[in-house]
Amino acid sequence: MKTLAKLAVTMLSRGANHAQNRDFQTNSSVQPSLSNPRIPMKKIIFLSLLAFLMKANAQDTRVQKIDSLFSVLAAKQEFNGNVLIAEKGNVIYRKSFGLRDEGQKLPLTDNSIFELASVSKQFTAMGIVLLEQKGKLEYDDALSKYIPELFFYKDVTIRQLLNHTGGLPDYMQLVGTKGDTTKINTNKDIIALFAKEKPQALFTPGSKFEYSNTGYALLASVIEKASGKTYAAFLADNIFKPLKMENTFVYNRRLAPRKIADYAYGYVYDASQKKVLPDNDPNNNYVVCLDGIVGDGAINSTTTDLLKWDRALYTEKLVSKKSLHLVFTPPVLPNDEKTSYGFGWMIAKFDDYGRIANHSGGWPGYVTFIERHTDNDKTIIVLQNNENGLSFLNNLRRLLYGKAPVVVKDSHTEITLTEAQLQPFVGEYELEAGYNMAITLDNAQLYSQLPGQQKFPIFPETENAFFLKVVKAQLVFEKDEQGSVTAATLKQNGNELKIKKMK
């Protein structure tokens, strides 16, 4: 489950160098040493203290700048949520901004609990890995072994669902067109709907990467079949309780409401730009009929608990090193195309930051993010209960590594275009392999939309350039000699990404 916050994740800067936070050193020939009798002990102590103070001061400067970044965003009402940043497991920054309950004006705290949206997928994946280690299933088992109703997807395997290479159609779209939107659907309901409608696979299983919420929802049902427990109980018994993640659990708020202390309600902006619960907004109230689906979302947690999760993944507390290697290793497709998704994590390596594993999540009212810089052992966790996106992400990374932020002009003047002028921009645009952005037109308004998610309006500032208001981003379209749109350039945080129009 993703929103246009995904754009901020896709566009990672590659221009910065690693920060040089070194301890104080003298010339190597007279470097302080307990074995060098020429240097008095008092001087050794003084030099060591100076080195510590210099390093601490460099870190404090970074933290001050990070705090300034979020404080400015919060003051402009462009950030509402919790942030936690750690180095080698030590928290260097933790802060809450804004409210968890707009009606009662209750503030967020360190213990506020947020719906994780697609950040939930990494826990679903770990559930499968745990079952494989217990001998309850194998990665190359057919999906139909555990869900026989889906026998017509006989070539789809568990591994392919983990890697988003299964090719299954989107369940949200199927529920919206063929299902019952007057009730709260569960995993059993979508399995029954797929069994009834038998929608054709999008491509040959294993041949292509295409992000799939359906795959992870079905993996939750596989966990239940293989373990004999509910998805919620299995994760609680095998992940949350062992890691002492005391405020992490599966929660379907509309299907099975209960009182949760310090719960962060997620808010969207309605047509008048007022914050409302998605249940009460006609563009987002599908959260009600899909509330019972688990696996691709529905896990709730805190920044503190997610740091416990991060630390466990550096150990064999849950699974073996061999299994962890699989989790963080994307597959190569039969045509030798490399993918960027392991088991529940996006994986990449950058000149700036080294190897990174991360995942974003977006669902009406929530934008969530966890990122693990595994070469440098840095952790970024951001949980928002407003849909303000992740446009700050590039600058947050830069500040964390001691680099100056990129200043981007974000003022736009909206103009009016006719429907005939807007029509050529309609189509599918490939952000990355298997992940397309749709541009649609409705009542003289263009919208951008990612698979299975709500659509966001884009506003013209020239005949070929548009901007978004939900995140600081701009789309500049290209046309050929015949006036047909062929591509677009996404501009965000000083970065540019060219995206091809597919159809």
Side-chain angles (χ1 to χ4, degrees), residues 47-63:
L47 290 171
S48 298
L49 179 60
L50 179 60
F52 172 80
L53 291 174
M54 290 179 69
K55 185 172 183 179
N57 183 63
Q59 177 167 303
D60 288 345
T61 299
R62 288 183 302 144
V63 171

Side-chain angles (χ1 to χ4, degrees), residues 6 44 104 109-110 116 149 195 199 202 231 253 289 302 314 333 405 418 432 455 457 468 476 478 489:
K6 169 72 165 57
I44 294 172
Q104 299 187 57
T109 73
D110 290 345
L116 295 185
E149 302 96 309
L202 303 177
Y231 172 75
R253 183 163 66 86
C289 74
T302 66
Y314 285 103
L333 300 179
T418 66
E432 60 183 56
K455 56 186 180 181
L468 292 93
V476 180
E478 298 177 16
T489 299

Side-chain angles (χ1 to χ4, degrees), residues 216-241:
Y216 270 76
L218 294 178
L219 285 173
S221 297
V222 170
I223 287 173
E224 295 187 334
K225 187 63 177 283
S227 69
K229 295 183 177 183
T230 66
Y231 172 75
F234 182 82
L235 294 192
D237 292 344
N238 292 277
I239 300 177
F240 306 147
K241 289 178 184 177

Side-chain angles (χ1 to χ4, degrees), residues 41 48 64 75 101 130 150 176 186 219 227 232 234 240 259 305 329 347 353 358 362 402 467:
M41 180 62 70
S48 298
Q64 290 168 7
D101 188 319
L130 285 162
L150 304 184
T186 65
L219 285 173
S227 69
F234 182 82
F240 306 147
K259 182 70 174 178
D305 273 5
T329 302
I347 313 294
Y353 315 115
N358 66 23
F467 66 98

